[in-house]
Amino acid sequence: MSEAGELISGINHQFIQPVNSLKLMITTLQMLERDGNLDKQTLNEILKGGESSVCLLSDTIEIFRNFYKTSENINKFSVAKSVKNLLMLMHTELSRVNVKVILVNSSDVIVTQKDNIIQQILLILIHNAKDAVVEKFENINKREIEIDIKSNETKCFITVSEHGWGVSEAMRDKIFSMPKTTKKSGNGIGLYFGKKLANEKIGGDLKLVSDANPTVFELSFDINLKGEK
C-alpha cells in the first residue's frame, strides 16, 4: 500500500504541469474571446497545445495502468522506454530524498516480454538502492543510482548499481532465499520475490554480481519470451 501511494504521488506530479497548462489555455481563450481578439490562427495554436497536454495525461494514465494490470500479456516494447516510464512513476519517491538515477546506457533494446513484470522487479531493485544510498550518504550529491541496459542475441541484462554500504558475506546467501529481510533498515525486501518472478515469469534471473563499491544487482530475461518472434 505504501508503494502504491508513492506511485500515485508520482502520477500526481506528472499531472500538475499539463493540467495547469490546460487551465491557462482556457483562461487565455476566454480573455481573448471577451476582448474580441480571438482570431482563427490563435485559436488553432491554443487548441493544438491543449491536445498535446491531453495526450500527456493519457500517456501517464496508460503507464500507470500498465504497471498495475493483472494480466501478463506478452508485448513488444523498448526496454529503455519501459525503464523511463517506471522512473517517471517513482519520481516523487526519489526526488523527496534527493536520489538521482542515471541511465548509463539506454540502448534501444526491443523485446517481446511481460512489461509490467519487468517493471515490478526493477521497482524492487531501485527501491532498495534508494534506501542504501540514503542510509549511507548525508551529502545528497552522492545519492546516485546507475542503471545499465545491455543485450546479446537471446538475453537482455539490466544492472542497478549504487555505492551504499553493500551486502555482507552473511547476507549474500540469504537475500534471495528469505521472503522477508533480516535487516532493520528494510533493505532486501522483495529480492526473494523478484528472483521468483524473474525465474518463473520472464525466463530470466536476478542475481547479485557485486556486493560492494559498487553494489550491483543484475536482472536478465529472454529477449523473445517463449521463443516468440
Side-chain angles (χ1 to χ4, degrees):
M1 291 297 292
S2 175
E3 202 64 60
E6 294 285 0
L7 293 176
I8 290 171
S9 294
I11 291 294
N12 180 65
H13 172 83
Q14 295 300 321
F15 269 27
I16 289 174
Q17 182 178 350
V19 168
N20 285 343
S21 295
L22 283 170
K23 183 178 179 181
L24 179 60
M25 291 173 199
I26 292 170
T27 301
T28 301
L29 280 174
Q30 290 174 330
M31 181 183 67
L32 291 173
E33 196 279 332
R34 182 191 62 208
D35 296 340
N37 295 323
L38 183 59
D39 58 78
K40 187 174 181 179
Q41 180 180 350
T42 302
L43 175 62
N44 288 334
E45 288 176 355
I46 293 177
L47 290 177
K48 188 174 181 180
E51 185 178 10
S52 297
S53 294
V54 171
C55 287
L56 179 57
L57 291 171
S58 178
D59 290 344
T60 303
I61 284 293
E62 181 64 21
I63 291 168
F64 189 71
R65 186 192 68 80
N66 180 67
F67 181 86
Y68 275 109
K69 67 184 178 184
T70 56
S71 62
E72 296 177 9
N73 295 329
I74 299 174
N75 300 304
K76 192 172 184 178
F77 60 91
S78 162
V79 176
K81 184 177 180 181
S82 178
V83 172
K84 290 174 182 177
N85 286 345
L86 176 61
L87 293 176
M88 186 182 81
L89 293 180
M90 298 184 70
H91 173 84
T92 301
E93 176 182 359
L94 295 168
S95 62
R96 189 171 61 206
V97 289
N98 298 292
V99 172
K100 181 180 180 181
V101 179
I102 302 169
L103 288 179
V104 179
N105 175 26
S106 57
S107 300
D108 195 18
V109 182
I110 305 299
V111 300
T112 303
Q113 262 289 354
K114 298 176 181 177
D115 192 8
N116 61 323
I117 299 297
I118 291 170
Q119 286 186 334
Q120 287 165 15
I121 298 170
L122 289 175
L123 176 71
I124 294 168
L125 297 181
I126 297 170
H127 180 80
N128 287 340
K130 177 211 68 173
D131 286 347
V133 295
V134 170
E135 181 182 329
K136 181 175 181 179
F137 298 114
E138 292 187 9
N139 184 349
I140 61 175
N141 293 323
K142 293 185 177 181
R143 294 180 179 179
E144 292 186 351
I145 300 169
E146 293 186 352
I147 297 178
D148 194 1
I149 304 170
K150 295 180 181 178
S151 65
N152 58 27
E153 292 182 357
T154 60
K155 293 281 186 180
C156 181
F157 305 90
I158 305 177
T159 56
V160 178
S161 312
E162 41 82 7
H163 288 269
W165 294 114
V167 180
S168 68
E169 186 174 346
M171 284 300 298
R172 281 185 67 104
D173 300 327
K174 297 179 180 180
I175 54 177
F176 292 117
S177 61
M178 300 182 68
K180 193 171 182 179
T181 182
T182 58
K183 294 182 70 177
K184 292 182 179 180
S185 64
N187 293 339
I189 289 179
L191 292 174
Y192 167 86
F193 298 104
K195 188 177 183 72
K196 191 175 180 65
L197 283 172
N199 293 161
E200 298 180 3
K201 300 292 187 180
I202 58 174
D205 197 11
L206 180 60
K207 61 183 181 179
L208 176 67
V209 296
S210 174
D211 54 17
N213 297 315
T215 303
V216 182
F217 285 90
E218 179 188 80
L219 170 63
S220 61
F221 50 87
D222 290 342
I223 286 181
N224 289 299
L225 189 60
K226 297 180 181 178
E228 295 193 15
K229 301 290 185 179

